[in-house]
Short mmCIF file of all heavy atoms in Angstrom, two decimals:
data_model
loop_
_atom_site.label_atom_id
_atom_site.label_comp_id
_atom_site.label_asym_id
_atom_site.label_seq_id
_atom_site.Cartn_x
_atom_site.Cartn_y
_atom_site.Cartn_z
N VAL A 119 10.99 7.10 9.65
CA VAL A 119 11.37 6.90 8.22
C VAL A 119 10.29 7.46 7.26
O VAL A 119 10.56 7.86 6.16
CB VAL A 119 11.63 5.37 7.97
CG1 VAL A 119 11.82 5.06 6.52
CG2 VAL A 119 12.80 4.95 8.78
N PHE A 120 9.03 7.38 7.66
CA PHE A 120 7.95 7.73 6.81
C PHE A 120 8.01 9.13 6.16
O PHE A 120 7.80 9.19 4.95
CB PHE A 120 6.60 7.59 7.60
CG PHE A 120 5.37 7.98 6.75
CD1 PHE A 120 4.84 7.15 5.82
CD2 PHE A 120 4.84 9.27 6.85
CE1 PHE A 120 3.79 7.52 5.03
CE2 PHE A 120 3.77 9.65 6.15
CZ PHE A 120 3.25 8.76 5.19
N PRO A 121 8.27 10.17 6.88
CA PRO A 121 8.25 11.55 6.23
C PRO A 121 9.23 11.66 5.10
O PRO A 121 8.91 12.30 4.11
CB PRO A 121 8.62 12.48 7.38
CG PRO A 121 8.41 11.73 8.64
CD PRO A 121 8.57 10.29 8.30
N ILE A 122 10.42 11.03 5.24
CA ILE A 122 11.34 11.13 4.10
C ILE A 122 10.83 10.45 2.86
O ILE A 122 10.90 10.91 1.75
CB ILE A 122 12.73 10.56 4.56
CG1 ILE A 122 13.30 11.33 5.76
CG2 ILE A 122 13.74 10.65 3.45
CD1 ILE A 122 14.42 10.61 6.50
N GLY A 123 10.34 9.22 3.03
CA GLY A 123 9.79 8.49 1.91
C GLY A 123 8.54 9.24 1.38
O GLY A 123 8.44 9.31 0.14
N ALA A 124 7.71 9.84 2.25
CA ALA A 124 6.53 10.53 1.68
C ALA A 124 6.99 11.81 0.92
O ALA A 124 6.42 12.09 -0.12
CB ALA A 124 5.67 10.98 2.88
N LEU A 125 8.03 12.48 1.37
CA LEU A 125 8.52 13.62 0.61
C LEU A 125 9.08 13.18 -0.75
O LEU A 125 8.77 13.86 -1.76
CB LEU A 125 9.67 14.29 1.47
CG LEU A 125 10.37 15.54 0.80
CD1 LEU A 125 9.32 16.65 0.60
CD2 LEU A 125 11.51 16.00 1.66
N PHE A 126 9.83 12.06 -0.76
CA PHE A 126 10.29 11.60 -2.07
C PHE A 126 9.14 11.30 -3.02
O PHE A 126 9.12 11.66 -4.23
CB PHE A 126 11.11 10.29 -1.88
CG PHE A 126 11.45 9.52 -3.08
CD1 PHE A 126 12.50 9.88 -3.88
CD2 PHE A 126 10.68 8.49 -3.45
CE1 PHE A 126 12.80 9.21 -5.03
CE2 PHE A 126 10.92 7.76 -4.63
CZ PHE A 126 11.99 8.16 -5.42
N TYR A 127 8.06 10.67 -2.49
CA TYR A 127 6.95 10.36 -3.27
C TYR A 127 6.20 11.59 -3.76
O TYR A 127 5.82 11.72 -4.95
CB TYR A 127 5.95 9.43 -2.49
CG TYR A 127 4.93 8.86 -3.40
CD1 TYR A 127 5.15 7.71 -4.12
CD2 TYR A 127 3.63 9.40 -3.48
CE1 TYR A 127 4.25 7.07 -4.97
CE2 TYR A 127 2.64 8.86 -4.31
CZ TYR A 127 3.01 7.69 -5.04
OH TYR A 127 2.04 7.15 -5.83
N TYR A 128 6.09 12.62 -2.92
CA TYR A 128 5.50 13.86 -3.28
C TYR A 128 6.28 14.58 -4.41
O TYR A 128 5.68 15.03 -5.38
CB TYR A 128 5.35 14.75 -2.07
CG TYR A 128 4.80 16.15 -2.37
CD1 TYR A 128 3.52 16.33 -2.57
CD2 TYR A 128 5.74 17.26 -2.48
CE1 TYR A 128 2.99 17.59 -2.80
CE2 TYR A 128 5.23 18.48 -2.78
CZ TYR A 128 3.89 18.70 -2.94
OH TYR A 128 3.35 19.94 -3.24
N ILE A 129 7.60 14.59 -4.29
CA ILE A 129 8.39 15.22 -5.28
C ILE A 129 8.32 14.52 -6.58
O ILE A 129 8.15 15.16 -7.66
CB ILE A 129 9.92 15.30 -4.80
CG1 ILE A 129 9.97 16.31 -3.63
CG2 ILE A 129 10.82 15.71 -6.00
CD1 ILE A 129 11.37 16.27 -2.93
N LYS A 130 8.38 13.18 -6.51
CA LYS A 130 8.23 12.34 -7.76
C LYS A 130 6.92 12.63 -8.43
O LYS A 130 6.84 12.78 -9.67
CB LYS A 130 8.32 10.86 -7.39
CG LYS A 130 8.06 9.94 -8.54
CD LYS A 130 7.38 8.66 -8.12
CE LYS A 130 5.98 8.83 -7.60
NZ LYS A 130 4.92 9.10 -8.61
N ASP A 131 5.84 12.78 -7.67
CA ASP A 131 4.57 13.03 -8.24
C ASP A 131 4.44 14.47 -8.78
O ASP A 131 3.84 14.66 -9.91
CB ASP A 131 3.46 12.80 -7.12
CG ASP A 131 2.14 12.40 -7.76
OD1 ASP A 131 2.17 11.50 -8.56
OD2 ASP A 131 1.09 12.95 -7.34
N LYS A 132 5.05 15.38 -8.14
CA LYS A 132 5.01 16.75 -8.64
C LYS A 132 5.74 17.01 -9.98
O LYS A 132 5.39 17.79 -10.77
CB LYS A 132 5.64 17.76 -7.59
CG LYS A 132 4.60 18.09 -6.46
CD LYS A 132 3.49 18.84 -7.13
CE LYS A 132 2.40 19.05 -6.07
NZ LYS A 132 1.12 19.38 -6.72
N ILE A 133 6.83 16.24 -10.15
CA ILE A 133 7.54 16.30 -11.39
C ILE A 133 6.97 15.35 -12.43
O ILE A 133 7.53 15.11 -13.53
CB ILE A 133 9.06 16.16 -11.26
CG1 ILE A 133 9.47 14.80 -10.64
CG2 ILE A 133 9.64 17.32 -10.41
CD1 ILE A 133 10.92 14.55 -10.58
N LYS A 134 5.82 14.84 -12.06
CA LYS A 134 5.05 13.96 -13.01
C LYS A 134 5.80 12.69 -13.49
O LYS A 134 5.65 12.27 -14.61
CB LYS A 134 4.54 14.75 -14.27
CG LYS A 134 3.76 15.99 -13.87
CD LYS A 134 2.41 15.59 -13.37
CE LYS A 134 1.58 16.85 -13.09
NZ LYS A 134 0.74 16.71 -11.98
N VAL A 135 6.55 12.12 -12.59
CA VAL A 135 7.20 10.85 -12.94
C VAL A 135 6.18 9.75 -12.52
O VAL A 135 5.93 9.56 -11.34
CB VAL A 135 8.53 10.70 -12.18
CG1 VAL A 135 9.11 9.27 -12.42
CG2 VAL A 135 9.51 11.75 -12.60
N ARG A 136 5.65 9.10 -13.50
CA ARG A 136 4.72 7.95 -13.18
C ARG A 136 5.39 6.69 -13.68
O ARG A 136 5.65 6.51 -14.83
CB ARG A 136 3.41 8.15 -13.95
CG ARG A 136 2.58 9.33 -13.42
CD ARG A 136 1.48 8.88 -12.60
NE ARG A 136 0.75 9.97 -12.11
CZ ARG A 136 -0.17 9.81 -11.18
NH1 ARG A 136 -0.38 8.69 -10.63
NH2 ARG A 136 -0.78 10.89 -10.69
N VAL A 137 5.74 5.92 -12.69
CA VAL A 137 6.44 4.64 -13.04
C VAL A 137 5.62 3.43 -12.57
O VAL A 137 5.18 3.48 -11.44
CB VAL A 137 7.85 4.65 -12.41
CG1 VAL A 137 8.58 3.33 -12.72
CG2 VAL A 137 8.66 5.84 -12.73
N LEU A 138 5.37 2.53 -13.39
CA LEU A 138 4.58 1.33 -12.99
C LEU A 138 5.28 0.55 -11.87
O LEU A 138 4.62 0.02 -11.06
CB LEU A 138 4.32 0.42 -14.21
CG LEU A 138 3.28 -0.66 -14.05
CD1 LEU A 138 1.98 -0.02 -13.59
CD2 LEU A 138 3.09 -1.31 -15.41
N ARG A 139 6.55 0.70 -11.85
CA ARG A 139 7.32 -0.03 -10.83
C ARG A 139 7.47 0.78 -9.54
O ARG A 139 8.16 0.34 -8.60
CB ARG A 139 8.69 -0.42 -11.34
CG ARG A 139 8.66 -1.41 -12.51
CD ARG A 139 10.03 -1.71 -12.93
NE ARG A 139 10.06 -2.52 -14.07
CZ ARG A 139 10.31 -2.12 -15.30
NH1 ARG A 139 10.63 -0.87 -15.61
NH2 ARG A 139 10.27 -2.93 -16.36
N GLU A 140 6.73 1.86 -9.44
CA GLU A 140 7.01 2.74 -8.28
C GLU A 140 6.72 2.17 -6.96
O GLU A 140 7.41 2.44 -5.93
CB GLU A 140 6.27 4.13 -8.43
CG GLU A 140 4.85 4.06 -8.28
CD GLU A 140 4.12 5.36 -8.62
OE1 GLU A 140 4.78 6.22 -9.26
OE2 GLU A 140 3.01 5.55 -8.25
N PRO A 141 5.73 1.22 -6.77
CA PRO A 141 5.53 0.66 -5.45
C PRO A 141 6.79 -0.07 -4.99
O PRO A 141 7.17 0.00 -3.82
CB PRO A 141 4.41 -0.41 -5.64
CG PRO A 141 3.66 0.23 -6.82
CD PRO A 141 4.68 0.79 -7.65
N LEU A 142 7.49 -0.78 -5.81
CA LEU A 142 8.70 -1.46 -5.51
C LEU A 142 9.82 -0.45 -5.17
O LEU A 142 10.52 -0.64 -4.23
CB LEU A 142 9.15 -2.43 -6.59
CG LEU A 142 10.33 -3.26 -6.35
CD1 LEU A 142 10.15 -4.14 -5.08
CD2 LEU A 142 10.66 -4.20 -7.49
N LEU A 143 9.93 0.59 -5.97
CA LEU A 143 10.82 1.63 -5.67
C LEU A 143 10.62 2.28 -4.31
O LEU A 143 11.60 2.55 -3.60
CB LEU A 143 10.89 2.70 -6.74
CG LEU A 143 11.25 2.18 -8.18
CD1 LEU A 143 11.08 3.26 -9.18
CD2 LEU A 143 12.72 1.67 -8.17
N ILE A 144 9.38 2.48 -3.98
CA ILE A 144 9.05 3.09 -2.68
C ILE A 144 9.42 2.16 -1.57
O ILE A 144 10.09 2.68 -0.61
CB ILE A 144 7.55 3.49 -2.68
CG1 ILE A 144 7.22 4.49 -3.67
CG2 ILE A 144 7.16 3.88 -1.21
CD1 ILE A 144 7.88 5.87 -3.47
N VAL A 145 9.13 0.94 -1.61
CA VAL A 145 9.50 0.05 -0.51
C VAL A 145 11.02 -0.14 -0.41
O VAL A 145 11.58 -0.17 0.68
CB VAL A 145 8.74 -1.35 -0.65
CG1 VAL A 145 9.39 -2.26 -1.64
CG2 VAL A 145 8.73 -1.98 0.74
N LEU A 146 11.73 -0.10 -1.56
CA LEU A 146 13.16 -0.14 -1.52
C LEU A 146 13.71 1.11 -0.85
O LEU A 146 14.70 1.04 -0.13
CB LEU A 146 13.72 -0.49 -2.92
CG LEU A 146 13.55 -1.89 -3.45
CD1 LEU A 146 13.97 -1.95 -4.88
CD2 LEU A 146 14.04 -2.93 -2.56
N LEU A 147 13.13 2.20 -1.16
CA LEU A 147 13.55 3.49 -0.59
C LEU A 147 13.42 3.34 0.91
O LEU A 147 14.32 3.77 1.68
CB LEU A 147 12.77 4.66 -1.06
CG LEU A 147 12.98 5.97 -0.43
CD1 LEU A 147 14.37 6.49 -0.65
CD2 LEU A 147 11.91 7.02 -0.75
N PHE A 148 12.26 2.87 1.37
CA PHE A 148 12.04 2.71 2.82
C PHE A 148 13.03 1.84 3.50
O PHE A 148 13.55 2.03 4.54
CB PHE A 148 10.68 2.22 3.14
CG PHE A 148 9.56 3.33 3.04
CD1 PHE A 148 8.47 3.10 2.26
CD2 PHE A 148 9.75 4.52 3.71
CE1 PHE A 148 7.51 4.14 2.14
CE2 PHE A 148 8.75 5.51 3.61
CZ PHE A 148 7.63 5.32 2.80
N VAL A 149 13.50 0.72 2.82
CA VAL A 149 14.51 -0.21 3.27
C VAL A 149 15.83 0.58 3.45
O VAL A 149 16.44 0.54 4.50
CB VAL A 149 14.68 -1.39 2.33
CG1 VAL A 149 15.94 -2.24 2.73
CG2 VAL A 149 13.46 -2.31 2.36
N ILE A 150 16.18 1.29 2.43
CA ILE A 150 17.46 2.09 2.49
C ILE A 150 17.38 3.11 3.67
O ILE A 150 18.36 3.26 4.37
CB ILE A 150 17.76 2.72 1.18
CG1 ILE A 150 18.07 1.67 0.15
CG2 ILE A 150 18.91 3.72 1.28
CD1 ILE A 150 17.99 2.14 -1.32
N LEU A 151 16.26 3.79 3.69
CA LEU A 151 16.21 4.87 4.72
C LEU A 151 16.28 4.24 6.11
O LEU A 151 16.86 4.79 7.06
CB LEU A 151 14.86 5.63 4.61
CG LEU A 151 14.74 6.52 3.41
CD1 LEU A 151 13.38 7.09 3.24
CD2 LEU A 151 15.77 7.68 3.52
N TYR A 152 15.61 3.04 6.26
CA TYR A 152 15.60 2.43 7.57
C TYR A 152 17.03 1.97 7.96
O TYR A 152 17.54 2.15 9.04
CB TYR A 152 14.68 1.21 7.66
CG TYR A 152 14.75 0.52 8.97
CD1 TYR A 152 14.17 1.10 10.10
CD2 TYR A 152 15.54 -0.59 9.16
CE1 TYR A 152 14.31 0.55 11.31
CE2 TYR A 152 15.68 -1.22 10.35
CZ TYR A 152 15.06 -0.68 11.52
OH TYR A 152 15.22 -1.28 12.71
N LEU A 153 17.74 1.42 6.92
CA LEU A 153 19.12 0.92 7.21
C LEU A 153 20.02 2.08 7.52
O LEU A 153 20.92 1.96 8.30
CB LEU A 153 19.62 0.07 6.07
CG LEU A 153 18.91 -1.28 5.93
CD1 LEU A 153 19.36 -1.96 4.65
CD2 LEU A 153 19.16 -2.19 7.21
N LEU A 154 19.79 3.24 6.89
CA LEU A 154 20.55 4.40 7.29
C LEU A 154 20.23 4.88 8.70
O LEU A 154 21.08 5.36 9.41
CB LEU A 154 20.28 5.56 6.27
CG LEU A 154 20.87 5.33 4.86
CD1 LEU A 154 20.40 6.44 3.90
CD2 LEU A 154 22.39 5.23 4.87
N TYR A 155 18.92 4.82 9.03
CA TYR A 155 18.49 5.20 10.35
C TYR A 155 18.96 4.26 11.44
O TYR A 155 19.39 4.68 12.52
CB TYR A 155 16.97 5.35 10.34
CG TYR A 155 16.38 5.48 11.64
CD1 TYR A 155 16.53 6.68 12.42
CD2 TYR A 155 15.51 4.46 12.20
CE1 TYR A 155 15.89 6.83 13.61
CE2 TYR A 155 14.86 4.66 13.39
CZ TYR A 155 15.10 5.88 14.14
OH TYR A 155 14.50 5.99 15.32
N ARG A 156 18.93 2.97 11.15
CA ARG A 156 19.42 1.91 12.06
C ARG A 156 20.22 0.96 11.33
O ARG A 156 19.63 -0.03 10.83
CB ARG A 156 18.19 1.26 12.67
CG ARG A 156 17.38 2.25 13.57
CD ARG A 156 16.45 1.46 14.34
NE ARG A 156 17.06 0.91 15.53
CZ ARG A 156 16.50 0.72 16.61
NH1 ARG A 156 15.23 0.95 16.80
NH2 ARG A 156 17.16 0.16 17.65
N PRO A 157 21.48 1.13 11.21
CA PRO A 157 22.29 0.24 10.35
C PRO A 157 22.35 -1.22 10.82
O PRO A 157 22.68 -2.09 10.03
CB PRO A 157 23.70 0.93 10.43
CG PRO A 157 23.65 1.84 11.56
CD PRO A 157 22.22 2.20 11.82
N LYS A 158 22.00 -1.51 12.05
CA LYS A 158 22.03 -2.90 12.52
C LYS A 158 20.80 -3.66 11.89
O LYS A 158 19.69 -3.27 12.05
CB LYS A 158 21.87 -2.92 13.97
CG LYS A 158 21.98 -4.29 14.61
CD LYS A 158 21.86 -4.23 16.12
CE LYS A 158 21.67 -5.63 16.67
NZ LYS A 158 21.13 -5.60 17.97
N PHE A 159 21.17 -4.74 11.18
CA PHE A 159 20.08 -5.54 10.59
C PHE A 159 19.25 -6.16 11.71
O PHE A 159 19.70 -6.62 12.71
CB PHE A 159 20.61 -6.68 9.77
CG PHE A 159 19.67 -7.38 8.87
CD1 PHE A 159 19.24 -6.78 7.67
CD2 PHE A 159 19.04 -8.56 9.25
CE1 PHE A 159 18.31 -7.37 6.88
CE2 PHE A 159 18.08 -9.16 8.44
CZ PHE A 159 17.76 -8.55 7.31
N SER A 160 17.92 -6.06 11.52
CA SER A 160 17.03 -6.60 12.59
C SER A 160 15.77 -7.13 12.00
O SER A 160 15.65 -7.23 10.73
CB SER A 160 16.69 -5.37 13.58
OG SER A 160 15.93 -4.47 12.82
N ASP A 161 14.82 -7.41 12.86
CA ASP A 161 13.52 -7.92 12.38
C ASP A 161 12.79 -6.84 11.58
O ASP A 161 12.00 -7.21 10.70
CB ASP A 161 12.68 -8.43 13.54
CG ASP A 161 13.08 -9.69 14.15
OD1 ASP A 161 13.92 -10.37 13.55
OD2 ASP A 161 12.56 -10.08 15.25
N VAL A 162 13.04 -5.61 11.88
CA VAL A 162 12.39 -4.52 11.10
C VAL A 162 12.96 -4.55 9.68
O VAL A 162 12.20 -4.38 8.71
CB VAL A 162 12.60 -3.16 11.74
CG1 VAL A 162 12.03 -2.04 10.87
CG2 VAL A 162 11.94 -3.14 13.10
N ALA A 163 14.28 -4.68 9.51
CA ALA A 163 14.83 -4.73 8.23
C ALA A 163 14.27 -5.97 7.45
O ALA A 163 13.93 -5.93 6.25
CB ALA A 163 16.34 -4.79 8.30
N LEU A 164 14.18 -7.11 8.15
CA LEU A 164 13.58 -8.26 7.54
C LEU A 164 12.16 -8.11 7.23
O LEU A 164 11.64 -8.54 6.15
CB LEU A 164 13.79 -9.48 8.43
CG LEU A 164 13.37 -10.88 7.93
CD1 LEU A 164 14.07 -11.20 6.68
CD2 LEU A 164 13.57 -11.89 9.02
N GLY A 165 11.42 -7.33 8.07
CA GLY A 165 10.09 -7.00 7.83
C GLY A 165 9.90 -6.21 6.53
O GLY A 165 8.91 -6.37 5.81
N TYR A 166 10.86 -5.31 6.27
CA TYR A 166 10.81 -4.56 4.99
C TYR A 166 10.98 -5.49 3.81
O TYR A 166 10.34 -5.28 2.70
CB TYR A 166 11.86 -3.47 4.94
CG TYR A 166 11.31 -2.16 5.57
CD1 TYR A 166 11.82 -1.66 6.71
CD2 TYR A 166 10.30 -1.48 4.94
CE1 TYR A 166 11.34 -0.47 7.30
CE2 TYR A 166 9.80 -0.29 5.50
CZ TYR A 166 10.29 0.15 6.60
OH TYR A 166 9.85 1.37 7.12
N VAL A 167 11.73 -6.56 3.95
CA VAL A 167 11.83 -7.57 2.89
C VAL A 167 10.48 -8.22 2.70
O VAL A 167 10.04 -8.43 1.50
CB VAL A 167 12.85 -8.59 3.26
CG1 VAL A 167 12.88 -9.74 2.18
CG2 VAL A 167 14.30 -7.93 3.27
N VAL A 168 9.77 -8.55 3.81
CA VAL A 168 8.42 -9.10 3.66
C VAL A 168 7.50 -8.10 2.92
O VAL A 168 6.74 -8.48 2.03
CB VAL A 168 7.83 -9.39 5.09
CG1 VAL A 168 6.38 -9.70 5.03
CG2 VAL A 168 8.62 -10.55 5.73
N LEU A 169 7.61 -6.81 3.24
CA LEU A 169 6.74 -5.84 2.49
C LEU A 169 7.14 -5.76 1.06
O LEU A 169 6.28 -5.62 0.25
CB LEU A 169 6.96 -4.45 3.16
CG LEU A 169 6.13 -4.12 4.44
CD1 LEU A 169 6.34 -2.71 4.81
CD2 LEU A 169 4.66 -4.39 4.23
N ALA A 170 8.44 -5.80 0.78
CA ALA A 170 8.84 -5.76 -0.61
C ALA A 170 8.21 -6.93 -1.35
O ALA A 170 7.71 -6.76 -2.46
CB ALA A 170 10.38 -5.84 -0.75
N ALA A 171 8.22 -8.12 -0.75
CA ALA A 171 7.61 -9.32 -1.36
C ALA A 171 6.10 -9.06 -1.56
O ALA A 171 5.59 -9.44 -2.66
CB ALA A 171 7.85 -10.50 -0.52
N ALA A 172 5.46 -8.50 -0.60
CA ALA A 172 3.99 -8.28 -0.76
C ALA A 172 3.75 -7.30 -1.87
O ALA A 172 2.85 -7.50 -2.67
CB ALA A 172 3.43 -7.72 0.52
#
Side-chain angles (χ1 to χ4, degrees):
V119 170
F120 176 80
I122 300 166
L125 179 64
F126 169 81
Y127 192 80
Y128 175 78
I129 291 168
K130 175 215 66 75
D131 209 46
K132 280 296 173 196
I133 59 174
K134 304 290 184 212
V135 175
R136 293 254 179 195
V137 181
L138 194 52
R139 294 180 186 105
E140 73 189 16
L142 183 56
L143 296 175
I144 295 298
V145 79
L146 290 176
L147 172 70
F148 282 128
V149 170
I150 293 165
L151 291 172
Y152 177 76
L153 290 173
L154 290 173
Y155 169 67
R156 295 189 81 150
K158 182 180 170 198
F159 192 81
S160 67
D161 284 350
V162 175
L164 187 56
Y166 272 113
V167 173
V168 169
L169 278 184

